[in-house]
Amino acid sequence: MGLSTRILKKIVRNDAMATDPEEIYGWRVLLLACSACFGAMSFGWDSSVIGGVIVMPPFMEDFGLKAGSVASANLAANIVSTLQAGCFAGALVASPLTDRFGRKWCLIAVSLVITIGVIMQAAANGNLGPMYAGRFIAGLGVGAASTINPIYVSENAPRAIRGLLTGLYQLFIVTGGMIAFWINYAFNLHYTGKIMYIFPLAIQALPAVLLCLCMLLNQESPRWLARKDRWEETKAVLSRIRNLPPTHPYIQEEFQEIVDQLEHERQLIGDATFWNLQREMWLIKGNRKRVLISITLMICQQMTGTNAINTYAPTIFINLGLTSTTSSLFSTGVYGIVKVTSCVVFLLFMVDSLGRRRSLLWTSIAQGLAMFYIGLYVRIAPPKKGDMVPPAGYFALVSIFLFAAFFQFGWGPTCWIYASEIPTARLRSQNVAFAAATQWLFNFVVARSVPVMLETVGAYGYGTYLIFGSFCFSMFFFVWFFIPETKGVSLEAMDKLFGLSDGPMKPLTEEEPETREISENKDAIAPQEKRIEQTA
């Protein structure tokens, strides 16, 4: 048993981990997931760097921003939210592109788009036009990556650790954000002039470059290959990423499960034209439930207020009593470290053991309590310029860090995991696209409104925190009544969970038959099986 397998078996507790072959938990699938997740790092990096840049004096001078001005708050919101507008469009466009051209090559293409957008931002030199255009173009790439990245990882991941590997998406988001925070802090501390903001903007291209280089070394998704009837390649890729020979019973079972599910879907609705897929998604109850769950989870994720803090953390720390740009940027860097650490803890010890549903439930309440404390502190004892921060104020600062940890224990990684694992195979890209577009739409709403809210919704914006805290509490009830547990369930067994198939939902084990047929579609599947036998 390899070291990675021994570690995983100690920290991941589910039936699939106990029964599946040890060989499938090798380094290949981990590196594949990390390679794709550089797209997520671009998401976190681009979203976080701008919050520190817009409070740097040279940037404010070059782009005409003035502290404490509502007009400047609106201008800053426009600069920040242009990225989210591009992300919304990119997330929607990505679905048909990734279905046609594949996951791998679309990720490579979006890395080039992000790089072009970053170059335009760094070269803007005080001109709003290139800044807006660059952020929108980079947003197209980041938004497209947010759709393709979780699909690619979930379609390659072994079921026992699918939550962990898909959750790496969130880990790379917060890691990119943390790096951006500390780069902002370092350049604010050690440099003067335009380089203070030009370098942090330019270095945003690094994760996009890494995404391009790493994806060139990876294989296409086996489930996308199956949808294109490229059966020999499907089995070859499965064999490679699972580190097992094509004749191994586990490979045969997973391969046949993909075949059965795909044929079942084709019998349900026919050819995969756009309108047929839309009818299948919205008119079949089980599919409609899944896309609505994915969309609502993404709305809830943004209405926790997390990206308000991610993007405007330096401004929020100043409003809580920190007196200088340097100290607020330092606190923002610590905030980034807290997010990364808690995300690692969640992915290793909770997501595939404690499960998705319970993680969402308890963090809803915890996040709400943290937000309410911050809001009530600002309302009852607002910080005054020049005064020392009182103990209650320091606890408000700690509450920001606690909020970050609670978010990573549930609503950060889990929403992306659900959106990518619960859809049926032929609807997965569209389901994730709708979810990602919703996430970016509400990210845009939050990014555009928070600077103005902090200036107008009560003294020091205390009402902003109370609004987000109220949303956190209400999310508990949504999860309680509508969200099922999916840990350890294979992708092809999700139909049973959502009432679309009479086939078994129980995860496969080595003791079960190598071929599992969907009884109600046996006649429809037989021709496909014959074709597979000829190509195997």
Side-chain angles (χ1 to χ4, degrees):
M1 186 186 299
L3 178 61
S4 61
T5 304
R6 290 199 299 271
I7 294 173
L8 285 172
K9 283 187 174 290
K10 287 183 179 297
I11 63 178
V12 176
R13 305 289 183 181
N14 59 45
D15 293 340
M17 175 59 73
T19 58
D20 288 346
E22 297 168 358
E23 292 87 347
I24 69 175
Y25 305 113
W27 56 270
R28 286 176 180 166
V29 71
L30 178 62
L31 290 183
L32 176 147
C34 290
S35 298
C37 285
F38 281 116
M41 184 174 284
S42 283
F43 174 0
W45 200 310
D46 291 16
S47 298
S48 300
V49 73
I50 195 66
V53 163
I54 62 175
V55 298
M56 292 179 178
F59 184 91
M60 296 179 69
E61 181 180 348
D62 286 353
F63 287 88
L65 301 177
K66 295 181 180 179
S69 164
V70 174
S72 290
N74 274 305
L75 180 57
N78 289 336
I79 294 172
V80 171
S81 61
T82 304
L83 178 84
Q84 282 82 355
C87 289
F88 174 76
L92 291 176
V93 170
S95 174
L97 292 178
T98 192
D99 280 346
R100 180 172 181 181
F101 299 108
R103 310 346 182 177
K104 171 182 175 176
W105 291 106
C106 282
L107 282 172
I108 292 172
V110 301
S111 69
L112 301 178
V113 174
I114 295 170
T115 303
I116 292 170
V118 168
I119 291 172
M120 293 181 69
Q121 292 176 58
N125 195 31
N127 297 306
L128 284 172
M131 176 60 70
Y132 286 145
R135 286 189 63 76
F136 184 83
I137 291 171
L140 289 174
V142 170
S146 71
T147 294
I148 305 166
N149 187 164
I151 297 172
Y152 180 72
V153 176
S154 69
E155 289 183 343
N156 282 279
R159 63 192 167 199
I161 57 170
R162 189 177 62 245
L164 188 156
L165 294 183
T166 308
L168 287 176
Y169 181 80
Q170 181 68 20
L171 177 61
F172 273 67
I173 289 175
V174 297
T175 302
M178 179 190 69
I179 295 171
F181 290 150
W182 284 108
I183 287 176
N184 284 344
Y185 173 71
F187 272 76
N188 186 77
L189 190 65
H190 296 294
Y191 292 88
T192 59
K194 295 179 185 293
I195 192 65
M196 283 177 66
Y197 72 84
I198 290 178
F199 183 85
L201 289 175
I203 200 64
Q204 292 177 97
L206 178 60
V209 172
L210 292 174
L211 173 65
C212 181
L213 296 177
C214 290
M215 285 307 302
L216 287 171
L217 304 176
N218 281 286
Q219 304 291 320
E220 184 54 83
S221 160
R223 286 168 171 86
W224 182 83
L225 292 170
R227 289 187 60 199
K228 300 299 180 182
D229 292 327
R230 293 159 62 175
W231 299 107
E232 290 186 8
E233 292 177 71
T234 300
K235 186 171 282 190
V237 171
L238 273 178
S239 176
R240 179 173 175 77
I241 61 177
R242 298 290 182 261
N243 198 31
L244 292 169
T247 55
H248 192 282
Y250 183 89
I251 298 296
Q252 296 289 341
E253 288 176 6
E254 186 171 11
F255 181 71
Q256 191 62 50
E257 195 175 32
I258 294 171
V259 173
D260 292 350
Q261 180 68 15
L262 187 58
E263 285 301 311
H264 176 58
E265 292 171 8
R266 287 172 174 173
Q267 287 298 313
L268 280 177
I269 198 68
D271 294 333
T273 65
F274 175 80
W275 291 113
N276 278 345
L277 292 177
Q278 290 303 303
R279 284 195 293 271
E280 183 178 352
M281 176 176 286
W282 296 104
L283 298 182
I284 296 176
K285 182 179 178 181
N287 291 335
R288 182 171 64 248
K289 181 178 180 181
R290 285 185 268 191
V291 70
L292 290 176
I293 283 176
S294 300
I295 288 172
T296 308
L297 282 173
M298 290 303 182
I299 294 173
C300 292
Q301 185 194 67
Q302 292 308 301
M303 297 314 293
T304 61
T306 180
N307 279 316
I309 298 177
N310 291 347
T311 305
Y312 299 108
T315 303
I316 290 171
F317 281 120
I318 289 172
N319 284 354
L320 289 177
L322 298 182
T323 55
S324 70
T325 300
T326 301
S327 60
S328 69
L329 289 175
F330 177 80
S331 298
T332 304
V334 176
Y335 171 78
I337 292 175
V338 171
K339 289 174 64 180
V340 170
T341 304
S342 13
C343 190
V344 169
V345 171
F346 174 75
L347 294 178
L348 289 179
F349 300 105
M350 297 173 68
V351 64
D352 285 312
S353 300
L354 178 64
R356 287 69 148 146
R357 174 182 159 86
R358 281 183 286 182
S359 299
L360 292 177
L361 285 171
W362 80 266
T363 54
S364 299
I365 301 300
Q367 289 174 148
L369 292 174
M371 278 293 189
F372 259 69
Y373 180 84
I374 298 167
L376 292 174
Y377 163 72
V378 174
R379 173 66 181 88
I380 297 169
K384 297 180 181 178
K385 188 173 182 179
D387 289 355
M388 295 291 292
V389 178
Y394 279 113
F395 190 76
L397 295 173
V398 170
S399 293
I400 293 282
F401 301 138
L402 289 174
F403 172 86
F406 296 146
F407 182 79
Q408 301 308 322
F409 285 148
W411 285 91
T414 306
C415 293
W416 291 104
I417 294 170
Y418 264 116
S420 61
E421 72 181 2
I422 63 175
T424 195
R426 68 207 239 112
L427 297 177
R428 186 168 293 120
S429 69
Q430 293 200 29
N431 191 98
V432 177
F434 281 130
T438 302
Q439 190 264 358
W440 286 115
L441 175 62
F442 280 81
N443 194 325
F444 171 82
V445 170
V446 170
R448 183 63 186 81
S449 59
V450 163
V452 180
M453 291 171 70
L454 291 173
E455 295 289 338
T456 59
V457 186
Y460 296 91
Y462 78 88
T464 305
Y465 308 105
L466 299 183
I467 290 170
F468 288 133
S470 299
F471 273 105
C472 290
F473 287 131
S474 68
M475 286 149 42
F476 174 90
F477 299 99
F478 167 69
V479 175
W480 181 269
F481 289 109
F482 297 107
I483 303 297
E485 182 55 71
T486 59
K487 70 171 183 177
V489 179
S490 71
L491 292 181
E492 284 70 32
M494 292 297 173
D495 278 358
K496 174 67 175 177
L497 185 61
F498 288 91
L500 279 187
S501 170
D502 294 331
M505 184 191 77
K506 179 187 172 192
L508 292 174
T509 66
E510 287 190 85
E511 289 74 28
E512 292 177 308
E514 289 184 22
T515 301
R516 179 180 288 169
E517 295 182 346
I518 301 172
S519 58
E520 64 185 300
N521 293 283
K522 186 174 181 180
D523 293 338
I525 295 170
Q528 182 64 48
E529 291 175 340
K530 184 176 181 181
R531 182 166 71 250
I532 293 163
E533 291 173 359
Q534 294 171 350
T535 58

